[in-house]
């Protein structure tokens, strides 16, 4: 089933569902959403200006796939303690055009957001996902440039998704080692933030869910990105996929995190007023 057909079936509250926060035409979303990130508002407005048929699905809920091989191998048990559909894809633009069905997974920009965008992409396109057959129709992006996001949407319909994804990736990291360094830094930033935010939070639950998901995404990226690299397989591991898989797991293990129980117990250092 094409990506637009799958996404069209996701129900928001306007259609009596809880699959996502909003699912409909991007033009309507822009008129209804008041608190949209300024860069995304500009990007989405540019996209609508050139194409009024674009739809958007926001905060699409998904369960963590316990059966996915990569999720089993990285063994981040805390993520399986989350109940329900804890994973939420921030923004998915989609449309069916003459050139085919395409979707752009957009993550709001932050210092390490591109790596989270890759994590969401790998979850969305992993074996067992309802989007697995749409892998060649999806591209993930996070940028502080509205023009770059709008340009990526337009290029979706003129070039192959894989080539476009690699082009976007090259804007953010030159090689795997650089990606890994960013992931490790991002994990530490999440720990530091958790120690500031959690002690003063009236309700820790939504924060803890977000931190667990973020550490999961970082681990997943380090594992999957290493495994899909054939140059690493042949140049570093001499074609031995078992050695590659073992090193990929070790890379994911380097993502430091606070345990689920530790976050509930921490007294930390509350953020100053």
């Amino acid at each position: 089933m094409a990506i637009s057909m799958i996404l069209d079936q996701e129900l928001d509250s306007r259609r009596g569902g809880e699959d996502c926060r909003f699912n409909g035409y991007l033009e309507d979303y822009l008129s209804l959403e008041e608190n949209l990130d300024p860069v995304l508002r500009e990007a989405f407005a540019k996209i609508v200006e050139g194409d009024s048929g674009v739809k958007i699905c926001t905060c699409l809920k998904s369960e963590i796939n316990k059966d996915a091989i990569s999720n089993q191998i990285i063994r981040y048990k805390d993520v399986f303690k989350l109940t329900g559909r804890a994973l939420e894809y921030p923004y998915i633009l989609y449309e069916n055009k003459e050139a085919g069905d395409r979707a752009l997974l957009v993550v709001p920009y932050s210092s390490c957001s591109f790596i989270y965008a890759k994590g969401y992409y790998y979850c969305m396109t992993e074996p067992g996902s309802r989007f697995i057959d749409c892998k060649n129709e999806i591209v993930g992006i996070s940028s502080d440039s509205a023009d770059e996001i709008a340009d990526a949407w337009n290029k979706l319909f003129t070039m192959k998704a894989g080539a476009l994804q690699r082009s976007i990736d090259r804007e953010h990291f030159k090689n795997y080692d650089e990606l890994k360094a960013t992931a490790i830094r991002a994990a530490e930033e999440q720990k530091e933030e958790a120690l500031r935010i959690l002690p003063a939070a009236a309700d820790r639950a939504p924060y803890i869910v977000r931190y667990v998901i973020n550490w999961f995404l970082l681990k997943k990226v380090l594992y999957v990105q290493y495994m899909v690299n054939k140059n690493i397989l042949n140049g570093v591991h001499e074609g031995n996929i078992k050695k590659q898989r073992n090193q990929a797991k070790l890379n994911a293990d380097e993502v430091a995190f606070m345990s689920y129980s530790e976050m509930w117990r921490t007294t930390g250092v509350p953020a100053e007023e």
Side-chain angles (χ1 to χ4, degrees), residues 74 76 112 114-116 118-120 176 179-180 182-190 211-224 251-252 255-256:
I74 61 179
Y76 180 42
C112 301
F114 80 88
I115 204 166
Y116 293 114
K118 287 202 69 64
Y120 283 116
Y176 182 84
L179 175 75
K180 180 180 173 183
T182 301
I184 291 172
R185 184 177 79 249
E188 290 294 340
E189 289 177 356
Q190 292 294 288
Y211 294 134
V212 170
I213 290 293
N214 283 348
W215 283 318
F216 166 69
L217 293 175
L218 295 173
K219 284 177 172 290
K220 190 173 186 71
V221 169
L222 287 193
Y223 179 83
V224 178
N251 294 342
V255 172

Side-chain angles (χ1 to χ4, degrees), residues 103-121:
L104 186 67
L105 170 65
V106 184
V107 174
Y109 181 78
S110 65
S111 62
C112 301
S113 56
F114 80 88
I115 204 166
Y116 293 114
K118 287 202 69 64
Y120 283 116
Y121 169 81

Side-chain angles (χ1 to χ4, degrees), residues 134-162:
C134 314
K135 185 173 183 178
N136 295 323
E137 301 171 353
I138 304 168
V139 166
I141 191 171
S142 182
S143 175
D144 59 352
S145 166
D147 286 337
E148 184 177 345
I149 296 171
D151 186 54
W153 171 258
N154 293 327
K155 286 181 177 178
L156 264 175
F157 296 92
T158 61
M159 61 189 298
K160 291 184 177 180

Side-chain angles (χ1 to χ4, degrees), residues 74-125:
I74 61 179
R75 292 181 59 80
Y76 180 42
K77 296 180 181 179
D78 283 350
V79 78
F80 299 126
K81 296 176 182 177
L82 303 181
T83 58
R85 296 179 292 175
L87 185 67
E88 291 189 0
Y89 298 106
Y91 302 93
I92 306 174
L93 307 182
Y94 66 100
E95 188 177 8
N96 169 261
K97 300 174 73 170
E98 187 176 343
D101 282 73
R102 299 291 186 273
L104 186 67
L105 170 65
V106 184
V107 174
Y109 181 78
S110 65
S111 62
C112 301
S113 56
F114 80 88
I115 204 166
Y116 293 114
K118 287 202 69 64
Y120 283 116
Y121 169 81
Y122 282 139
C123 288
M124 196 171 181
T125 59

Side-chain angles (χ1 to χ4, degrees), residues 118 140 164-173 225:
K118 287 202 69 64
L164 177 57
Q165 188 68 68
R166 289 190 292 274
S167 174
I168 292 170
D169 289 351
R170 284 194 293 269
E171 296 294 321
H172 298 284
F173 61 95
Q225 187 73 15

